[in-house]
Amino acid sequence: MQKSRREFAKKTAMITAGAAAIAGTSVLAATGESSVQDDSNNGVVVGKSRNKEILYKKTAAWEAYYKNAK
């Protein structure tokens, strides 16, 4: 009797985990936001942050790098 309860618990846990994985995948697919590269977004993911992204800050190290890179 104890063994059948354990088997039932294992099967239930496996089914629940599988259902959760499928539900999570369908939610991600439904949002439509992805980093897949195609013609519409060129692979660029657009965020919703209000913070300004600083890509380059002029420093002596960068100036030396760009001078040597030419």
Side-chain angles (χ1 to χ4, degrees):
M1 185 158 155
Q2 188 72 356
K3 186 175 181 179
S4 64
R5 287 182 183 176
R6 288 182 181 162
E7 291 298 320
F8 175 77
K10 285 181 186 179
K11 288 179 184 178
T12 305
M14 292 293 285
I15 291 170
T16 304
I22 291 171
T25 303
S26 64
V27 167
L28 288 175
T31 61
E33 295 181 18
S34 66
S35 61
V36 176
Q37 186 172 5
D38 60 1
D39 293 337
S40 65
N41 64 2
N42 291 328
V44 176
V45 179
V46 179
K48 298 176 184 175
S49 176
R50 296 181 184 190
N51 296 341
K52 183 178 177 181
E53 184 177 5
I54 300 171
L55 299 176
Y56 171 76
K57 188 174 182 180
K58 194 171 186 176
T59 62
W62 278 114
E63 291 300 319
Y65 171 78
Y66 286 129
K67 185 184 268 187
N68 291 330
K70 289 182 181 180

